[in-house]
Amino acid sequence: MATVCIDGNASMANPIGRERYRRCLIWGCSPPRWREDVTKHPEVNLAVFNKDRLLYKNLKMLPDVPFDYTGFERLDYRTVTIFLKVDDPFTKRLLHELLNDVAFKLLQIEDSEKIERLYSELKEVSNYRLTFMRSISHELKTPLNVIQGNLQLAKLGVYGDVSHLSELLEEIESAVKRATQLINNLLDLSRIETEGFYVKVEPVRFEMFKQIMKEYELLAQQKGLHFDFHFQGEEPFSGDFRIISTILSNLLSNAVKYTGCGEIKGFLQVRGDRIIIEVSDTGSGIPLELQEKIFEPFVSGESGGSGLGLAIVKKFVDLLKGKITFISNVGEGTTFHIEIPRVYRPSHYENKEHVNVLLIEPDESTRRLLRKIVSDYTVVEALTGQEGYLKALEHSPDLVITGLRLPDIGGDELLYRLRGEEALNRSKLVLYVGGKIEKTDTYLMGLEIDIGELASRLKILLGDKLLLVYDDDEKVKIHLEQVKSFIKALLDREIMAKGLEMVDERDFLLYDTFVLLVQGDPEIIATFMRRIRKMFYSNMAIAIVFVLTGGELKWQG
Ligand code: ADP
């Protein structure tokens, strides 16, 4: 914080100026000294204090304590005081404006610092709350699973005849189910709010919802409610089954909970570019004062529910970039309506052109750099995890390179999911990170590594693609690891291995070099060579053949 002290002594050199300045001499500077200072700063005398502490003075002779600044103009900005003496009106105005500006900026900085501090404190508290919520929920899940398991065993008669307890067991089971749903909701909420929830794009069939529908139909029937929910439109559709079924469960559970008589109906419709979900009931309706905050967590009506269900529904709908609306009249009922844009999961087999490299990186300059490194290859780019995931499925690239920090998901988490995709089981996945991550089967490249080294490492991954084809026979297979490490040492290439019977036409397109590991059967080798020749017209692949004789490996070339 700065204060400014100014004395307009432009005329210090003449007697009038000196006279005017005499007042300033009370702090005991000898005239030659101040004259020297004043010559350096002839127009302004200025001092800045924070509380009583001197921060700045433009002349050495100016006093060190605020009390001695009699006859100075005083400007106060919170804890900062500026003493100022200027004679020239133009300079005076200029300085005033400048000081006001500076003070205003300082206040802004102070405010934003305060807000930032408060924000980080809040974040810390919120993270603590979420971590606490998550760990407690996990802890509660285990005993609940034990109770649930034992209940099922009891119902199956493992603990003898318990038919006289059947009503009690049903009641316990439904309480356990309610508790489990509550805990799942808590877990979902904390996951959505912290690390982000990754939306899957998997084929979803209507029959996958059968279990949930059966459950709510039964609950409705137990309350004497008519239940009618149907599925319409195209299936399978692409979506995240767990998210959609959580949305449905929460809406249906509320409908059953808050309806005393009448009916519950709804539908899930997949048509064109959207998925529509609607759930209606003839229940109590949502009171007007509750309606505007119904999607906030822990907001519930008089029933004293947890107030989590609709908060999660809303968060999931937002995550799917959808919209949720409702109409509710007290005493008449409620209808929730959700529209979610449909995403298309590209099928690996109908994929677009095959590309060598998929680059997933939100930062433009990093992407440009990486693009240069792999400029010899065909490249597609993505800016987010979701876009990268879809493009990976679409193109099944030889190599996926992703940064660690993506806007929607961590790069490591994304690779973990891509690894689970069958369409990508031949793709190499590269994660470049600032620091080291302990993931054994992921290629790691530090962001600060030598770019030349990165280029050469990528080229190895992309370069001559080797496939070790082995005869699926125990005598041969024992040598597999040995051959792999031999090739690795010899050529410094990663190598994939595949049983002879499993090799298909795609492999012939994908790999440049085949290493054949077979028993010394010339017929097998010849057949294989014929297949390769048929596939490659000009760019003949080199086949290196290992022939096993008497358990010893021999290189044939
Ligand atoms: P919970 O049901 O556990 O309290 P929700 O977030 O699912 O939590 O719902 C919040 C509140 O909204 C409920 O307490 C209830 O008052 C009201 N509500 C939700 N759905 C309905 C419905 N279908 N009919 C009437 N009231 C509802």
Side-chain angles (χ1 to χ4, degrees):
M1 285 289 168
T3 306
V4 198
C5 204
I6 304 175
D7 191 340
N9 49 8
S11 48
M12 283 306 292
N14 66 51
I16 304 169
R18 217 168 325 168
E19 179 54 33
R20 195 186 299 149
Y21 208 70
R22 187 162 297 147
R23 272 175 304 164
C24 296
L25 299 181
I26 50 168
W27 43 85
C29 251
S30 62
R33 204 35 220 293
W34 66 254
R35 189 168 291 143
E36 189 186 290
D37 282 339
V38 165
T39 343
K40 272 195 222 144
H41 308 274
E43 285 162 2
V44 180
N45 273 5
L46 173 126
V48 185
F49 288 89
N50 185 13
K51 295 193 180 138
D52 287 344
R53 197 165 61 84
L54 178 70
L55 294 180
Y56 172 80
K57 57 182 183 181
N58 73 329
L59 297 176
K60 277 201 186 122
M61 59 179 216
L62 292 176
D64 289 339
V65 285
F67 304 118
D68 291 336
Y69 280 83
T70 42
F72 274 65
E73 223 177 301
R74 180 187 170 126
L75 307 169
D76 283 304
Y77 299 102
R78 290 206 187 165
T79 57
V80 173
T81 308
I82 301 172
F83 292 102
L84 168 78
K85 221 183 224 191
V86 201
D87 280 350
D88 172 43
F90 177 74
T91 315
K92 191 170 172 166
R93 214 184 62 229
L94 200 73
L95 267 166
H96 262 279
E97 275 172 20
L98 184 80
L99 290 174
N100 272 323
D101 257 13
V102 169
F104 182 66
K105 290 267 155 32
L106 288 175
L107 292 186
Q108 275 185 330
I109 292 171
E110 202 179 281
D111 285 348
S112 69
E113 276 171 358
K114 208 183 267 169
I115 290 171
E116 238 165 64
R117 223 175 22 250
L118 279 174
Y119 177 72
S120 72
E121 275 169 27
L122 261 177
K123 223 167 135 186
E124 218 170 273
V125 173
S126 156
N127 277 345
Y128 174 78
R129 176 180 64 89
L130 292 167
T131 320
F132 176 75
M133 209 154 88
R134 190 160 31 186
S135 32
I136 288 287
S137 310
H138 271 299
E139 289 302 315
L140 286 173
K141 255 190 129 163
T142 321
L144 273 177
N145 285 342
V146 175
I147 299 173
Q148 173 77 19
N150 275 308
L151 272 173
Q152 267 160 7
L153 290 178
K155 277 164 81 179
L156 285 170
V158 174
Y159 301 126
D161 181 16
V162 287
S163 53
H164 59 293
L165 294 175
S166 67
E167 218 169 282
L168 177 73
L169 291 182
E170 287 298 331
E171 229 168 87
I172 298 176
E173 192 166 24
S174 104
V176 168
K177 270 199 182 136
R178 274 207 310 278
T180 309
Q181 190 177 18
L182 176 65
I183 286 164
N184 284 340
N185 278 344
L186 275 171
L187 274 172
D188 281 346
L189 197 68
S190 65
R191 277 175 59 208
I192 303 171
E193 284 190 22
T194 47
E195 72 223 45
F197 208 99
Y198 191 75
V199 182
K200 275 198 201 155
V201 191
E202 57 196 348
V204 180
R205 294 190 165 278
F206 296 157
E207 63 163 29
M208 288 159 78
F209 299 98
K210 219 158 105 189
Q211 182 60 30
I212 298 171
M213 290 304 139
K214 230 167 83 186
E215 221 170 273
Y216 288 105
E217 184 165 19
L218 192 72
L219 285 173
Q221 277 167 0
Q222 281 167 357
K223 286 183 81 176
L225 303 170
H226 177 68
F227 185 91
D228 174 24
F229 195 99
H230 51 273
F231 292 83
Q232 309 164 334
E234 299 148 31
E235 68 157 337
F237 63 95
S238 298
D240 189 311
F241 171 69
R242 204 174 94 62
I243 292 184
I244 297 173
S245 55
T246 307
I247 292 176
L248 270 177
S249 282
N250 279 310
L251 292 183
L252 288 171
S253 147
N254 279 348
V256 174
K257 221 179 346 175
Y258 301 112
T259 305
C261 62
E263 62 171 359
I264 285 155
K265 57 181 186 175
F267 60 85
L268 184 152
Q269 185 186 63
V270 184
R271 186 146 298 151
D273 60 356
R274 51 202 50 238
I275 302 165
I276 302 170
I277 297 172
E278 201 168 284
V279 175
S280 299
D281 62 61
T282 52
S284 60
I286 305 169
L288 213 56
E289 66 278 8
L290 204 62
Q291 290 194 7
E292 58 192 50
K293 45 186 183 182
I294 201 80
F295 295 121
E296 288 171 26
F298 308 109
V299 168
S300 63
E302 282 167 6
S303 64
S306 70
L308 283 176
L310 288 179
I312 284 162
V313 169
K314 174 79 167 74
K315 289 217 188 270
F316 275 152
V317 171
D318 287 347
L319 203 63
L320 301 175
K321 300 191 172 56
K323 281 207 168 69
I324 177 163
T325 51
F326 66 92
I327 300 173
S328 186
N329 291 310
V330 174
E332 290 175 23
T334 307
T335 298
F336 280 95
H337 181 91
I338 293 173
E339 295 202 13
I340 303 164
R342 211 169 145 188
V343 275
Y344 293 91
R345 177 192 167 92
S347 148
H348 169 56
Y349 296 103
E350 312 156 5
N351 66 7
K352 295 192 183 159
E353 97 265 38
H354 173 82
V355 296
N356 299 121
V357 182
L358 167 63
L359 258 181
I360 311 169
E361 169 58 57
D363 177 59
E364 164 65 31
S365 51
T366 314
R367 220 170 45 241
R368 213 175 316 125
L369 179 72
L370 287 168
R371 209 187 298 137
K372 274 193 200 130
I373 295 174
V374 288
S375 59
D376 293 345
Y377 305 94
T378 47
V379 180
V380 281
E381 293 173 11
L383 309 188
T384 65
Q386 184 73 12
E387 189 189 351
Y389 180 77
L390 291 177
K391 286 196 169 156
L393 288 177
E394 212 169 5
H395 298 280
S396 30
D398 299 328
L399 186 65
V400 178
I401 308 176
T402 176
L404 184 61
R405 278 177 217 289
L406 304 177
D408 48 353
I409 185 177
D412 49 344
E413 173 69 11
L414 174 66
L415 289 193
Y416 177 72
R417 282 162 201 271
L418 288 179
R419 208 174 283 287
E421 290 288 344
E422 204 196 322
L424 294 169
N425 60 6
R426 290 207 190 88
S427 300
K428 308 231 170 76
L429 310 176
V430 173
L431 179 69
Y432 61 89
V433 290
K436 196 166 154 36
I437 291 193
E438 297 304 329
K439 273 237 168 93
T440 47
D441 55 353
T442 305
Y443 296 92
L444 284 178
M445 301 199 177
L447 200 54
E448 303 96 34
I449 71 157
D450 173 36
I451 254 350
E453 192 195 330
L454 175 62
S456 65
R457 283 217 228 167
L458 292 184
K459 289 210 164 119
I460 288 170
L461 291 176
L462 273 163
D464 290 350
K465 290 179 277 292
L466 298 179
L467 180 64
L468 173 63
V469 182
Y470 58 89
D471 191 352
D472 213 356
D473 179 280
E474 281 319 311
K475 271 188 277 169
V476 176
K477 268 167 56 185
I478 48 165
H479 296 287
L480 213 56
E481 282 319 309
Q482 196 188 345
V483 174
K484 269 170 128 179
S485 47
F486 182 33
I487 291 168
K488 179 106 183 60
L490 192 74
L491 302 173
D492 193 22
R493 294 268 196 282
E494 295 297 331
I495 184 160
M496 301 288 286
K498 217 172 180 191
L500 192 59
E501 299 302 318
M502 303 298 289
V503 175
D504 60 26
E505 304 316 296
R506 281 180 49 85
D507 293 317
F508 289 114
L509 289 171
L510 201 64
Y511 292 94
D512 308 315
T513 306
F514 294 88
V515 179
L516 209 52
L517 180 64
V518 290
Q519 299 188 67
D521 182 345
E523 192 43 43
I524 293 182
I525 299 167
T527 317
F528 192 76
M529 293 301 280
R530 273 199 297 276
R531 278 180 79 189
I532 295 180
R533 278 218 178 84
K534 243 177 41 199
M535 293 302 303
F536 288 84
Y537 311 101
S538 54
N539 228 347
M540 176 64 191
I542 318 150
I544 306 163
V545 184
F546 285 100
V547 180
L548 297 170
T549 45
E552 248 195 86
L553 283 180
K554 265 197 204 156
W555 176 269
Q556 261 211 351

